[in-house]
Amino acid sequence: MSEDFELLVDRQALCGTGPLWMSALNCVHWVDLLRNELHTYHRDSGADEVRVLPGVVTALGATRHGQLIAAAGNGFARVYLGRAALEPVVQVRNGDRMSVGACDPAGRFVAGTLTHARDLRASALYVLDGDRARLLVEGVTGVGGLAWSPDGTRMYLVDTRTIWVYDYDVDSARAVSGRQWVVCAESEGSPEGIAVDAEGCVWVAMHWTGRIHRYAPSGDLETVLWAPTRRITSLAFGGSRLEEMYVTSACFGYDELGLREDPYAGALLRFKPGTVGMRLPPWQGI
């Protein structure tokens, strides 16, 4: 284990993803989407609380009341932690299931879809308006990461090996003029989870190589860090000053030998990136 990374939860999650920092509760929620598990890592005690949900949850957002909204199954759902229940809000049309999601700077929950076969341009990005899902971006192959710039005028979207940037209208939740921002080489890994720091730089988890990239707003690669597992899937800022980074990982597809060679695959990790994140607004829906 690198001295820069801490092992928080030594668990072989099949596909850990969707870390969400809850400042009021001093905890991180994250999911193992292949086991239908919702995890809550309590920062004070170090305990990882596990709930088995009745369906697949792929992304989480906080609500104004400290609860959770989620991308789940084929749409959006509320999460009731006390009884580990999901209450569907609305379904969407494109794709076979939901993928990543996050709250935009105005507190709207946005999430994407994907097809199991990763069919070309068969998926989309939706914004949850009340109890309706409105199409935001169509013609994507599989949304793997989603974040906004500090001023909210840019939306970053990971689609396969490309990170796209869109001009974003916070008032109307409209994304236009999508263009390629960074194209990642196969040798660098597969870009998945992303997070934006207070300086406007974009942090990217590169699955299959364990690389963590930090890109300047210009798209220039500024920093490369190496996680203790090559199977990192997503990351999120947390801590009292958002000075920490929480990293999820996966171990699906590994046999016994693979797990021995990559023993931290599926774990929840933490490190200090040397910069701070932005406070994400809660979902402003009902």
Side-chain angles (χ1 to χ4, degrees):
M1 172 69 70
S2 165
E3 63 180 9
D4 296 326
F5 285 82
E6 298 175 76
L7 175 63
L8 301 181
V9 180
D10 188 7
R11 185 183 184 93
Q12 293 172 347
L14 289 178
C15 190
T17 190
L20 175 69
W21 172 252
M22 303 287 284
S23 58
L25 302 174
N26 203 31
C27 71
V28 174
H29 293 306
W30 58 288
V31 299
D32 183 345
L33 67 88
L34 294 182
R35 289 195 176 107
N36 294 0
E37 291 178 348
L38 171 60
H39 293 250
T40 304
Y41 172 77
H42 298 276
R43 190 173 180 274
D44 288 335
S45 67
D48 185 57
E49 186 178 2
V50 183
R51 300 172 177 87
V52 178
L53 298 173
V56 177
V57 168
T58 59
L60 299 167
T63 74
R64 290 176 294 175
H65 308 294
Q67 300 299 310
L68 296 173
I69 188 72
N74 294 99
F76 296 91
R78 295 181 182 86
V79 181
Y80 292 95
L81 293 173
R83 48 194 174 95
L86 297 174
E87 179 185 87
V89 176
V90 64
Q91 291 191 331
V92 302
R93 297 186 305 276
N94 299 69
D96 293 325
R97 69 162 174 83
M98 301 300 288
S99 59
V100 301
C103 284
D104 80 355
R108 304 179 190 89
F109 192 59
V110 180
T113 66
L114 56 78
T115 61
H116 297 312
R118 299 298 174 102
D119 298 311
L120 192 66
R121 296 191 294 276
S123 299
L125 193 68
Y126 290 89
V127 56
L128 181 60
D129 281 337
D131 59 355
R132 297 186 307 161
R134 174 169 59 81
L135 184 66
L136 183 62
V137 176
E138 60 183 338
V140 299
T141 300
V143 180
L146 184 64
W148 285 264
S149 62
D151 63 3
T153 62
R154 305 177 100 195
M155 182 183 77
Y156 298 98
L157 184 151
V158 177
D159 188 10
T160 316
R161 293 195 178 278
T162 300
I163 306 174
W164 296 77
V165 63
Y166 290 79
D167 296 329
Y168 194 76
D169 187 327
V170 177
D171 293 332
S172 62
R174 303 286 177 181
V176 298
S177 303
R179 59 229 182 247
Q180 290 185 344
W181 184 63
V182 171
V183 178
C184 300
E186 185 173 355
S187 61
E188 295 177 305
S190 177
E192 295 200 1
I194 62 175
V196 177
D197 64 29
E199 298 174 14
C201 295
V202 181
W203 295 76
V204 186
M206 306 295 289
H207 193 203
W208 296 108
T209 63
R211 294 164 63 115
I212 296 176
H213 289 183
R214 185 190 191 227
Y215 294 96
S218 63
D220 294 326
L221 179 59
E222 286 193 341
T223 304
V224 178
L225 303 177
W226 296 88
T229 170
R230 59 195 293 263
R231 299 296 304 277
I232 58 173
T233 56
S234 193
L235 39 74
F237 284 97
S240 59
R241 297 183 295 107
L242 299 181
E243 78 284 11
E244 301 171 340
M245 186 80 83
Y246 290 82
V247 183
T248 55
S249 61
C251 71
F252 67 86
Y254 271 177
D255 56 15
E256 186 175 347
L257 177 60
L259 289 171
R260 286 203 304 268
E261 293 178 343
D262 193 356
Y264 298 110
L268 178 68
L269 305 163
R270 179 173 62 197
F271 72 99
K272 291 188 176 181
T275 186
V276 298
M278 301 185 301
R279 297 211 174 271
L280 303 178
W283 180 53
Q284 299 297 311
I286 300 171

